[in-house]
Amino acid sequence: HFLAFFPPWVAIGATALALLLILPPVSGYAVRLLSGIRLPEVRLSLLRSRHLRYALGSLLCLIPFYLLRVRVPRLGDGPDLVLALTQPLKHFSSEPLTISVVNILYKIINGAGEADALWAYQLLSWACGALYVYFLLLISNAMGRNRRERIILGLFLMSIGTVELLCGYPENYAPLALFVLIYLYVTWRYLEDRSSLTAPVLIWSIAFAFHFSASVLFPSLVLLYYLEWRRNLSRIGLYLRTAIPPMLIFCFLLLIRFDLSDYFRALGKMPSTVPLWNPEPYLRAHTLLSPVHLMDVANQHLLVAPMSLLLIGAILFTVRSRFAKTPYLFFLGSASLFYFLFACIFNSYIGAFRDWDLLSPMAINNTLRTTGVSPWVKAF
């Protein structure tokens, strides 16, 4: 997205520079060159707080998010969603809490047309972008062992295709991407014994209310319940935490008057998984093992995180004997695996080759899975 709206020499030059910096002698020289630059030291008492520095950085990132805002008028389902927001009947679809938040924003700005509806979606996207940067800095600080690793992880998370959702993208997936990142962060803290299981459970519940596709992270939540069961002798607390997600989701849906019966009735009208075989000639190309569908899945990964699957495969091949002994790797692996399966088996009509944005949060899982392996394999 960034390169598409600049002259060709910028796109070619940036790509060539990135390929050049991969070479160890070049990257080593660049690091030494940058390390030798003396910057004026600024000492402000307010900036001593790490969280305040992160909050300031996230607010500054609103500037590039605004400057690089999505300008393609027919990108995704944005125009249809913007039009629906101006009409009396507001659909909830599979992202009930997101639609509710957008409706609230539309009323706050006294919306009176498609321009205001687009503005409401953009405000939500940019707000999620600022929070995304804040938690990106938090998780980079938590996972990186030194400044270099933290910078690399932060740059990875800022350069994945999912970030386009945060550039004023008029769709319902920005809160989903944000809460996927928050879920992975609070879970990392839980695995470090720095928080309770309640935090991941609550964040996953909110993510699910924002978009039902967050259900693909539920198997990783089951893994956390298993770890809690092994480390905690008190079963009452575990049972209470188990009851939190359905109760919280149910309360959310009741609050916004979401009709589950209508949703499941609409869901039953079309298949939700890719068929293994279809006799219809025009649908046969989009069956599970067809070359077209496999190309769609590969294209999805090339769009959002080109090198992630190759790096994950290489890392797992080298550390397979230690994988099961490391809860961090096991958790991140489960989160990545089920998102990958979701991209493969989700109905192709609304899946890989059409809804790249719905599936794009898997880039966050894959990026953390790739860059988070090395430190913890050595630690264990």
Side-chain angles (χ1 to χ4, degrees):
H1 172 70
F2 177 79
L3 298 178
F5 293 93
F6 284 85
W9 65 268
V10 176
I12 297 173
T15 305
L17 179 61
L19 293 174
L20 187 64
L21 286 174
I22 292 176
L23 301 176
V26 179
S27 62
Y29 174 76
V31 169
R32 291 192 298 271
L33 184 65
L34 293 174
S35 300
I37 300 176
R38 294 184 176 274
L39 298 175
E41 187 174 353
V42 180
R43 293 186 178 182
L44 295 176
S45 57
L46 291 176
L47 297 181
R48 291 178 181 175
S49 170
R50 183 185 66 189
H51 295 282
L52 191 58
R53 294 196 305 270
Y54 291 172
L56 180 61
S58 63
L59 290 176
L60 289 175
C61 282
L62 287 174
I63 298 175
F65 284 152
Y66 173 78
L67 295 176
L68 298 174
R69 61 192 180 276
V70 175
R71 302 170 189 267
V72 181
R74 296 299 305 178
L75 189 62
D77 297 326
D80 297 331
L81 294 172
V82 168
L83 179 62
L85 194 59
T86 64
Q87 298 173 353
L89 296 177
K90 308 295 192 300
H91 76 284
F92 287 102
S93 189
S94 56
E95 51 276 339
L97 189 56
T98 306
I99 296 296
S100 297
V101 172
V102 173
N103 284 328
I104 292 173
L105 289 174
Y106 185 65
K107 292 177 181 177
I108 290 176
I109 62 177
N110 296 320
E114 292 188 39
D116 291 336
L118 176 61
W119 181 241
Y121 271 103
Q122 289 177 328
L123 286 176
L124 178 63
S125 174
W126 291 325
C128 290
L131 291 172
Y132 177 89
V133 173
Y134 177 78
F135 282 97
L136 174 154
L137 294 171
L138 285 178
I139 199 169
S140 299
N141 182 73
M143 293 180 64
R145 296 171 298 177
N146 51 52
R147 181 177 296 178
R148 185 175 185 178
E149 287 186 355
R150 294 176 189 130
I151 291 175
I152 290 173
L153 179 54
L155 291 175
F156 269 136
L157 289 172
M158 279 299 294
S159 61
I160 56 178
T162 313
V163 174
E164 185 174 346
L165 302 179
L166 313 175
C167 297
Y169 188 74
E171 257 285 8
N172 296 322
Y173 305 123
L176 171 65
L178 169 64
F179 276 88
V180 167
L181 180 65
I182 299 176
Y183 171 73
L184 296 174
Y185 169 67
V186 297
T187 301
W188 192 272
R189 287 179 55 87
Y190 165 74
L191 294 175
E192 289 185 325
D193 291 326
R194 299 179 63 184
S195 70
S196 68
L197 183 62
T198 304
V201 171
L202 285 173
I203 295 300
W204 179 84
S205 304
I206 297 172
F208 183 84
F210 270 114
H211 201 288
F212 291 165
S213 67
S215 58
V216 298
L217 294 173
F218 185 72
S220 65
L221 191 65
V222 173
L223 172 63
L224 298 183
Y225 280 124
Y226 172 71
L227 295 176
E228 180 75 4
W229 177 75
R230 291 192 60 181
R231 68 166 64 167
N232 193 352
L233 296 177
S234 174
R235 296 292 180 263
I236 297 179
L238 179 61
Y239 295 149
L240 288 175
R241 294 187 185 101
T242 306
I244 288 176
M247 290 177 59
L248 188 61
I249 294 169
F250 184 71
C251 290
F252 274 139
L253 297 180
L254 282 180
L255 184 64
I256 61 178
R257 300 178 181 179
F258 181 76
D259 193 338
L260 278 173
S261 60
D262 285 347
Y263 173 75
F264 285 112
R265 193 178 301 113
L267 190 65
K269 293 180 180 178
M270 64 172 130
S272 55
T273 57
V274 178
L276 186 62
W277 170 257
N278 197 308
E280 298 293 337
Y282 66 95
L283 290 177
R284 198 174 300 160
H286 300 291
T287 52
L288 187 60
L289 299 179
S290 67
V292 173
H293 177 65
L294 296 178
M295 185 62 69
D296 290 339
V297 174
N299 184 52
Q300 172 68 28
H301 287 275
L302 289 174
L303 281 171
V304 296
M307 297 299 294
S308 62
L309 289 182
L310 293 176
L311 290 174
I312 289 174
I315 291 169
L316 290 180
F317 181 76
T318 57
V319 301
R320 59 187 182 277
S321 61
R322 287 167 284 180
F323 178 73
K325 301 176 183 179
T326 311
Y328 301 90
L329 307 186
F330 201 65
F331 166 75
L332 290 174
S334 65
S336 298
L337 173 63
F338 285 98
Y339 242 117
F340 173 73
L341 293 177
F342 180 58
C344 290
I345 67 174
F346 194 55
N347 184 358
S348 60
Y349 179 74
I350 49 176
F353 77 102
R354 299 238 178 139
D355 277 5
W356 73 269
D357 39 16
L358 169 63
L359 302 173
S360 67
M362 70 179 173
I364 301 174
N365 297 275
N366 291 346
T367 300
L368 293 178
R369 178 74 182 87
T370 303
T371 56
V373 163
S374 177
W376 289 106
V377 167
K378 295 177 181 178
F380 278 81

mmCIF file of all heavy atoms in Angstrom, residues 250-269:
data_model
loop_
_atom_site.group_PDB
_atom_site.id
_atom_site.type_symbol
_atom_site.label_atom_id
_atom_site.label_comp_id
_atom_site.label_asym_id
_atom_site.label_seq_id
_atom_site.Cartn_x
_atom_site.Cartn_y
_atom_site.Cartn_z
ATOM 1 N N PHE A 250 -22.153 -12.936 25.781
ATOM 2 C CA PHE A 250 -23.614 -12.902 25.845
ATOM 3 C C PHE A 250 -24.108 -11.534 26.298
ATOM 4 O O PHE A 250 -25.080 -10.992 25.742
ATOM 5 C CB PHE A 250 -24.109 -13.996 26.791
ATOM 6 C CG PHE A 250 -25.605 -14.118 26.864
ATOM 7 C CD1 PHE A 250 -26.324 -14.621 25.791
ATOM 8 C CD2 PHE A 250 -26.287 -13.706 27.998
ATOM 9 C CE1 PHE A 250 -27.711 -14.719 25.851
ATOM 10 C CE2 PHE A 250 -27.665 -13.801 28.067
ATOM 11 C CZ PHE A 250 -28.380 -14.310 26.993
ATOM 12 N N CYS A 251 -23.425 -10.945 27.283
ATOM 13 C CA CYS A 251 -23.813 -9.614 27.764
ATOM 14 C C CYS A 251 -23.613 -8.562 26.679
ATOM 15 O O CYS A 251 -24.453 -7.660 26.503
ATOM 16 C CB CYS A 251 -23.007 -9.247 29.005
ATOM 17 S SG CYS A 251 -23.443 -10.216 30.472
ATOM 18 N N PHE A 252 -22.502 -8.662 25.946
ATOM 19 C CA PHE A 252 -22.263 -7.728 24.841
ATOM 20 C C PHE A 252 -23.389 -7.810 23.816
ATOM 21 O O PHE A 252 -23.925 -6.778 23.367
ATOM 22 C CB PHE A 252 -20.934 -8.049 24.160
ATOM 23 C CG PHE A 252 -19.744 -7.393 24.802
ATOM 24 C CD1 PHE A 252 -18.561 -8.091 24.946
ATOM 25 C CD2 PHE A 252 -19.808 -6.086 25.249
ATOM 26 C CE1 PHE A 252 -17.462 -7.501 25.544
ATOM 27 C CE2 PHE A 252 -18.719 -5.488 25.852
ATOM 28 C CZ PHE A 252 -17.546 -6.194 25.996
ATOM 29 N N LEU A 253 -23.733 -9.023 23.436
ATOM 30 C CA LEU A 253 -24.750 -9.201 22.396
ATOM 31 C C LEU A 253 -26.116 -8.733 22.866
ATOM 32 O O LEU A 253 -26.901 -8.174 22.087
ATOM 33 C CB LEU A 253 -24.795 -10.669 21.968
ATOM 34 C CG LEU A 253 -23.515 -11.224 21.333
ATOM 35 C CD1 LEU A 253 -23.698 -12.683 20.947
ATOM 36 C CD2 LEU A 253 -23.105 -10.404 20.127
ATOM 37 N N LEU A 254 -26.417 -8.954 24.149
ATOM 38 C CA LEU A 254 -27.674 -8.455 24.690
ATOM 39 C C LEU A 254 -27.691 -6.933 24.714
ATOM 40 O O LEU A 254 -28.713 -6.296 24.404
ATOM 41 C CB LEU A 254 -27.887 -8.996 26.115
ATOM 42 C CG LEU A 254 -28.376 -10.437 26.248
ATOM 43 C CD1 LEU A 254 -28.531 -10.785 27.726
ATOM 44 C CD2 LEU A 254 -29.706 -10.650 25.524
ATOM 45 N N LEU A 255 -26.561 -6.334 25.057
ATOM 46 C CA LEU A 255 -26.473 -4.881 25.173
ATOM 47 C C LEU A 255 -26.736 -4.199 23.833
ATOM 48 O O LEU A 255 -27.385 -3.145 23.780
ATOM 49 C CB LEU A 255 -25.103 -4.488 25.721
ATOM 50 C CG LEU A 255 -24.867 -3.004 26.001
ATOM 51 C CD1 LEU A 255 -25.810 -2.520 27.106
ATOM 52 C CD2 LEU A 255 -23.419 -2.751 26.399
ATOM 53 N N ILE A 256 -26.238 -4.782 22.760
ATOM 54 C CA ILE A 256 -26.401 -4.153 21.443
ATOM 55 C C ILE A 256 -27.587 -4.748 20.678
ATOM 56 O O ILE A 256 -27.770 -4.449 19.501
ATOM 57 C CB ILE A 256 -25.117 -4.312 20.609
ATOM 58 C CG1 ILE A 256 -24.810 -5.795 20.369
ATOM 59 C CG2 ILE A 256 -23.943 -3.634 21.283
ATOM 60 C CD1 ILE A 256 -23.584 -6.023 19.515
ATOM 61 N N ARG A 257 -28.364 -5.608 21.350
ATOM 62 C CA ARG A 257 -29.574 -6.188 20.768
ATOM 63 C C ARG A 257 -29.280 -6.994 19.509
ATOM 64 O O ARG A 257 -29.945 -6.862 18.477
ATOM 65 C CB ARG A 257 -30.601 -5.085 20.463
ATOM 66 C CG ARG A 257 -31.028 -4.302 21.689
ATOM 67 C CD ARG A 257 -31.996 -3.197 21.341
ATOM 68 N NE ARG A 257 -32.386 -2.430 22.515
ATOM 69 C CZ ARG A 257 -33.212 -1.389 22.487
ATOM 70 N NH1 ARG A 257 -33.731 -0.991 21.333
ATOM 71 N NH2 ARG A 257 -33.509 -0.746 23.592
ATOM 72 N N PHE A 258 -28.275 -7.808 19.607
ATOM 73 C CA PHE A 258 -27.892 -8.664 18.474
ATOM 74 C C PHE A 258 -28.775 -9.914 18.476
ATOM 75 O O PHE A 258 -28.939 -10.568 19.507
ATOM 76 C CB PHE A 258 -26.420 -9.051 18.601
ATOM 77 C CG PHE A 258 -25.929 -9.908 17.466
ATOM 78 C CD1 PHE A 258 -25.660 -9.354 16.231
ATOM 79 C CD2 PHE A 258 -25.716 -11.273 17.641
ATOM 80 C CE1 PHE A 258 -25.195 -10.132 15.190
ATOM 81 C CE2 PHE A 258 -25.262 -12.056 16.603
ATOM 82 C CZ PHE A 258 -25.000 -11.484 15.377
ATOM 83 N N ASP A 259 -29.321 -10.257 17.313
ATOM 84 C CA ASP A 259 -30.225 -11.394 17.181
ATOM 85 C C ASP A 259 -29.433 -12.597 16.676
ATOM 86 O O ASP A 259 -29.092 -12.690 15.488
ATOM 87 C CB ASP A 259 -31.362 -11.066 16.215
ATOM 88 C CG ASP A 259 -32.486 -12.098 16.283
ATOM 89 O OD1 ASP A 259 -32.208 -13.230 16.736
ATOM 90 O OD2 ASP A 259 -33.623 -11.768 15.899
ATOM 91 N N LEU A 260 -29.110 -13.507 17.570
ATOM 92 C CA LEU A 260 -28.336 -14.694 17.189
ATOM 93 C C LEU A 260 -29.108 -15.591 16.233
ATOM 94 O O LEU A 260 -28.515 -16.215 15.355
ATOM 95 C CB LEU A 260 -27.935 -15.484 18.439
ATOM 96 C CG LEU A 260 -26.696 -14.998 19.190
ATOM 97 C CD1 LEU A 260 -26.531 -15.766 20.484
ATOM 98 C CD2 LEU A 260 -25.454 -15.168 18.323
ATOM 99 N N SER A 261 -30.427 -15.674 16.397
ATOM 100 C CA SER A 261 -31.216 -16.560 15.528
ATOM 101 C C SER A 261 -31.139 -16.107 14.077
ATOM 102 O O SER A 261 -30.976 -16.922 13.164
ATOM 103 C CB SER A 261 -32.667 -16.594 16.006
ATOM 104 O OG SER A 261 -33.233 -15.289 15.955
ATOM 105 N N ASP A 262 -31.220 -14.791 13.838
ATOM 106 C CA ASP A 262 -31.110 -14.286 12.462
ATOM 107 C C ASP A 262 -29.712 -14.537 11.906
ATOM 108 O O ASP A 262 -29.552 -14.847 10.717
ATOM 109 C CB ASP A 262 -31.409 -12.784 12.435
ATOM 110 C CG ASP A 262 -32.889 -12.503 12.576
ATOM 111 O OD1 ASP A 262 -33.685 -13.452 12.453
ATOM 112 O OD2 ASP A 262 -33.247 -11.334 12.821
ATOM 113 N N TYR A 263 -28.713 -14.399 12.759
ATOM 114 C CA TYR A 263 -27.332 -14.596 12.289
ATOM 115 C C TYR A 263 -27.113 -16.036 11.842
ATOM 116 O O TYR A 263 -26.589 -16.288 10.754
ATOM 117 C CB TYR A 263 -26.344 -14.238 13.398
ATOM 118 C CG TYR A 263 -24.917 -14.581 13.057
ATOM 119 C CD1 TYR A 263 -24.194 -13.806 12.162
ATOM 120 C CD2 TYR A 263 -24.299 -15.698 13.611
ATOM 121 C CE1 TYR A 263 -22.894 -14.116 11.824
ATOM 122 C CE2 TYR A 263 -22.990 -16.018 13.290
ATOM 123 C CZ TYR A 263 -22.294 -15.225 12.399
ATOM 124 O OH TYR A 263 -21.000 -15.545 12.064
ATOM 125 N N PHE A 264 -27.518 -16.990 12.669
ATOM 126 C CA PHE A 264 -27.303 -18.393 12.312
ATOM 127 C C PHE A 264 -28.195 -18.811 11.136
ATOM 128 O O PHE A 264 -27.817 -19.676 10.357
ATOM 129 C CB PHE A 264 -27.571 -19.297 13.523
ATOM 130 C CG PHE A 264 -26.479 -19.256 14.550
ATOM 131 C CD1 PHE A 264 -26.694 -18.705 15.799
ATOM 132 C CD2 PHE A 264 -25.216 -19.756 14.250
ATOM 133 C CE1 PHE A 264 -25.683 -18.667 16.737
ATOM 134 C CE2 PHE A 264 -24.193 -19.725 15.186
ATOM 135 C CZ PHE A 264 -24.431 -19.175 16.436
ATOM 136 N N ARG A 265 -29.339 -18.165 11.013
ATOM 137 C CA ARG A 265 -30.203 -18.460 9.861
ATOM 138 C C ARG A 265 -29.530 -17.983 8.567
ATOM 139 O O ARG A 265 -29.541 -18.686 7.549
ATOM 140 C CB ARG A 265 -31.557 -17.780 10.041
ATOM 141 C CG ARG A 265 -32.620 -18.273 9.070
ATOM 142 C CD ARG A 265 -33.959 -17.584 9.327
ATOM 143 N NE ARG A 265 -34.430 -17.819 10.672
ATOM 144 C CZ ARG A 265 -34.542 -16.876 11.610
ATOM 145 N NH1 ARG A 265 -34.217 -15.620 11.323
ATOM 146 N NH2 ARG A 265 -34.985 -17.162 12.809
ATOM 147 N N ALA A 266 -28.913 -16.821 8.611
ATOM 148 C CA ALA A 266 -28.207 -16.314 7.431
ATOM 149 C C ALA A 266 -26.946 -17.118 7.153
ATOM 150 O O ALA A 266 -26.581 -17.352 5.996
ATOM 151 C CB ALA A 266 -27.856 -14.835 7.636
ATOM 152 N N LEU A 267 -26.272 -17.551 8.222
ATOM 153 C CA LEU A 267 -25.050 -18.328 8.054
ATOM 154 C C LEU A 267 -25.322 -19.680 7.408
ATOM 155 O O LEU A 267 -24.509 -20.200 6.643
ATOM 156 C CB LEU A 267 -24.375 -18.531 9.416
ATOM 157 C CG LEU A 267 -22.963 -19.125 9.414
ATOM 158 C CD1 LEU A 267 -21.989 -18.168 8.734
ATOM 159 C CD2 LEU A 267 -22.505 -19.404 10.841
ATOM 160 N N GLY A 268 -26.485 -20.245 7.690
ATOM 161 C CA GLY A 268 -26.815 -21.552 7.135
ATOM 162 C C GLY A 268 -27.170 -21.526 5.668
ATOM 163 O O GLY A 268 -27.279 -22.585 5.034
ATOM 164 N N LYS A 269 -27.352 -20.328 5.093
ATOM 165 C CA LYS A 269 -27.726 -20.244 3.682
ATOM 166 C C LYS A 269 -26.557 -20.475 2.749
ATOM 167 O O LYS A 269 -26.749 -20.682 1.562
ATOM 168 C CB LYS A 269 -28.371 -18.881 3.401
ATOM 169 C CG LYS A 269 -29.713 -18.692 4.099
ATOM 170 C CD LYS A 269 -30.304 -17.329 3.772
ATOM 171 C CE LYS A 269 -31.651 -17.134 4.460
ATOM 172 N NZ LYS A 269 -32.218 -15.791 4.185
#
